[in-house]
Amino acid sequence: MQGFMLQLNRLSAAQWTFVISLLLSGLAMYFQPVIGKDAAFYLDISQHFLDQDLASAFSRFDWPWFPVLIAISHALTGIGLETVAYLWCALFMAGACALMVDMVVRRLPGSGFWACLVVLAMPAFNAFRGEILREFGFWFFSVLTLWCAMRWQDRGGWLGALGIQVSVVLAALFRFEAVLLMPALVLWLVPGLRTRDGWLRMVKLVALPLCAVIVMILLLRGMLHLDRIENFLAMVDPQQVFSKFNAVSDRLASTVLMKYSADDAGKILVFGMLGVTLLAFAKLLGPFTIPFLTRTGWRGVRSSLKTFDLFAWTWLCYLLVLMFFFVQQLFINSRYASFLDWLAVPLVIAGVFAFVQRFPRVGKGLAVLAVLVLLANVISLSPKKTHYIEAGHWVAEHVEPDASVYYSDPRIGYYAGRGYELRALEQEEALGDAGRGKFTYLLIEAKSDDAEVVQWLAANGKVILAQFSNAKKKATVLVLGPAR
């Protein structure tokens, strides 16, 4: 026992972070018995890949490399698809957290405790620990890219540059947006071009990727599935961006703004999008926004900005990508914005560390608050959505295999063993004229005494065959079908 405790005392901050991260992920999975919609979709793609081939996976999704990884891991180990997916997500998350702490502690001695606490408690990405998402691989390999770049800054060499390039490619296999890391790295190296060594570093970084891109375009274009790449390039194409931006601005001016403000529609749209994104970024920092209400916190950031300038360049590049996405899709969510918070972690730690050194008593309170947030990220006491599982099992047992079924939540079909079917109709449409006569069974989310449901049953000659509710009966799945 004494020897075991001695070994624990020898663990570095990064190693402690890795171990605690795995424990937190396990805790989050325990409190999340029902997988998310994205998870069910990925696992269904994995099953298609196992049952058929890669072409089948691409027919379901245009960038299926994460589901393929899950499928191959399942085939090699025999571990269930869902379990192996959770394992990969937990390992990716733990690795990203540990690498981030290692980078910060090497350049900010004495910050180990706060580095560990910030990385493990920040809601931006820790709130997703109970999910199966390709973001985990994207986060890990993106952080690995930055970790390799920081080491390469000290050591140089062709091998170090190759490590950076391989990490970018692996990150892009999870989310193609990871290619933005390359322009960020180039911008990071631009100030060094005043010297011969700076030019040599730039050549080492970009020569191989440029050659690879040229070869891919000339030789492999017809053999590759490029839909995702083409969609991304279209999203950042200046001509398309400005065209869509002008269309949205005109719509805003004509439908929302007063005529006196119509000429400023473009400015309102730009600063509105930027404001929403930055507000989401600040909100996702959680309690670690507190130090930045003081000059001391900002002073810590400024003193470390030169050390972590690579993160600042990458943050700006990703913010630009988010703005392009916002213009094209007209929405943003916390999962997309969370990478901004990942990129801010070193500077946030620097600001927090300066703050707690200046105000140690307040720092203790901040630590307690951060631990509470850390636990809140992974422990959920809200009613679990196990009624989806129960409804799915009912379908598997009672519904004919060739019957047409509508699911208000596609996860019900997944738990029924019928795969994950993307919804072609919303629930209101399925119950309306658009869905009339198309489905033998409908599994909808509603109360059995809902007036609209009662009226629909009478008009369509169907009855409620079963109903399933969560623990507090705030959500109910009704099974509608012909009387038996």
Side-chain angles (χ1 to χ4, degrees):
M1 184 66 180
Q2 186 176 358
F4 176 72
M5 295 302 296
L6 185 61
Q7 289 297 323
L8 288 181
N9 290 333
R10 290 178 179 175
L11 292 180
S12 66
Q15 290 169 330
W16 272 113
T17 301
F18 186 87
V19 173
I20 297 172
S21 178
L22 289 178
L23 294 174
L24 290 173
S25 293
L27 195 60
M29 293 167 195
Y30 173 80
F31 281 95
Q32 188 82 357
V34 182
I35 62 175
K37 293 180 181 179
D38 286 339
F41 182 51
Y42 297 148
L43 294 174
D44 187 51
I45 296 170
S46 299
Q47 193 62 57
H48 273 75
F49 173 74
L50 290 170
D51 293 341
Q52 299 177 46
D53 53 21
L54 185 60
S56 175
F58 268 104
S59 70
R60 297 280 289 156
F61 185 42
D62 61 4
W63 207 247
W65 305 113
F66 178 46
V68 168
L69 172 65
I70 295 170
I72 293 174
S73 303
H74 163 74
L76 293 176
T77 64
I79 301 173
L81 285 174
E82 192 173 318
T83 302
V84 80
Y86 273 126
L87 286 173
W88 272 119
C89 291
L91 288 171
F92 283 142
M93 187 64 166
C97 291
L99 288 173
M100 188 66 78
V101 169
D102 182 68
M103 276 189 287
V104 173
V105 171
R106 288 177 183 272
R107 291 160 179 80
L108 197 62
S111 65
F113 170 79
W114 285 101
C116 181
L117 190 56
V118 169
V119 166
L120 295 176
M122 189 178 289
F125 38 88
N126 286 288
F128 296 106
R129 283 186 178 274
E131 304 283 347
I132 296 173
L133 300 169
R134 56 196 175 108
E135 271 76 10
F136 289 106
F138 165 58
W139 292 337
F140 171 72
F141 286 111
S142 295
V143 174
L144 179 62
T145 299
L146 300 171
W147 183 84
C148 289
M150 299 292 273
R151 285 173 62 88
W152 183 61
Q153 184 182 37
D154 299 330
R155 303 182 180 185
W158 285 96
L159 191 60
L162 179 62
I164 296 171
Q165 295 152 8
V166 170
S167 298
V168 172
V169 171
L170 292 174
L173 290 178
F174 289 86
R175 293 201 72 92
F176 190 71
E177 298 90 301
V179 296
L180 71 91
L181 292 165
M182 285 305 296
L185 288 161
V186 169
L187 290 171
W188 176 54
L189 293 179
V190 164
L193 295 181
R194 291 170 293 184
T195 66
R196 182 177 179 277
D197 182 62
W199 277 102
L200 184 59
R201 279 182 176 269
M202 185 69 79
V203 170
K204 290 176 181 177
L205 180 68
V206 303
L208 182 60
L210 283 177
C211 292
V213 169
I214 292 171
V215 168
M216 184 178 71
I217 292 175
L218 295 179
L219 302 178
L220 303 177
R221 181 178 178 83
M223 300 169 58
L224 296 177
H225 297 269
L226 298 177
D227 289 349
R228 174 59 56 122
I229 299 174
E230 291 172 356
N231 290 339
F232 181 81
L233 293 177
M235 186 183 75
V236 298
D237 177 27
Q239 185 175 356
Q240 290 200 30
V241 170
F242 283 118
S243 176
K244 183 63 180 280
F245 178 80
N246 290 332
V248 175
S249 297
D250 292 342
R251 195 188 317 162
L252 179 68
S254 61
T255 60
V256 178
L257 300 177
M258 301 291 289
K259 64 179 182 179
Y260 306 106
S261 303
D263 293 340
D264 296 322
K267 298 175 185 177
I268 294 171
L269 188 60
V270 168
F271 288 103
M273 292 187 302
L274 184 62
V276 168
T277 305
L278 294 179
L279 184 62
F281 164 75
K283 180 182 176 182
L284 293 172
L285 291 177
F288 303 111
T289 55
I290 294 174
F292 298 100
L293 301 177
T294 68
R295 293 182 180 179
T296 303
W298 287 106
R299 202 173 292 130
V301 171
R302 285 195 297 271
S303 65
S304 298
L305 188 57
K306 187 175 181 180
T307 303
F308 298 109
D309 55 345
L310 172 58
F311 288 83
W313 282 116
T314 312
W315 191 93
L316 289 172
C317 287
Y318 189 67
L319 178 64
L320 184 61
V321 169
L322 283 182
M323 291 298 96
F324 286 162
F325 178 86
F326 213 147
V327 169
Q328 298 281 3
Q329 304 297 327
L330 299 180
F331 82 95
I332 198 73
N333 62 29
S334 59
R335 207 171 79 205
Y336 297 154
S338 61
F339 190 55
L340 283 178
D341 293 82
W342 264 115
L343 296 171
V345 163
L347 294 175
V348 170
I349 294 171
V352 170
F353 191 50
F355 175 80
V356 298
Q357 287 182 311
R358 174 70 176 81
F359 306 104
R361 290 186 179 180
V362 181
K364 292 178 181 178
L366 178 60
V368 172
L369 180 59
V371 170
L372 293 175
V373 172
L374 178 150
L375 294 174
N377 288 331
V378 297
I379 297 176
S380 173
L381 301 179
S382 61
K384 306 301 182 287
K385 299 178 180 180
T386 52
H387 55 303
Y388 293 148
I389 301 176
E390 295 164 359
H393 291 170
W394 188 94
V395 171
E397 293 177 9
H398 297 91
V399 174
E400 314 83 68
D402 58 345
S404 59
V405 185
Y406 172 81
Y407 308 102
S408 63
D409 191 301
R411 286 174 290 182
I412 301 173
Y414 170 80
Y415 283 113
R418 294 173 174 240
Y420 186 94
E421 298 180 15
L422 296 174
R423 287 193 307 184
L425 300 173
E426 294 298 325
Q427 181 170 304
E428 293 77 10
E429 295 173 325
L431 295 175
D433 293 337
R436 191 179 304 278
K438 289 185 178 180
F439 306 103
T440 307
Y441 298 90
L442 297 94
L443 283 86
I444 65 169
E445 296 184 70
K447 299 294 183 182
S448 59
D449 57 353
D450 187 294
E452 293 183 4
V453 172
V454 173
Q455 183 180 357
W456 185 90
L457 290 172
N460 290 271
K462 296 187 185 294
V463 297
I464 298 174
L465 298 174
Q467 56 182 302
F468 306 92
S469 303
N470 64 9
K472 294 187 178 180
K473 297 186 178 181
K474 290 185 177 180
T476 302
V477 171
L478 302 179
V479 181
L480 313 182
R484 297 189 173 188

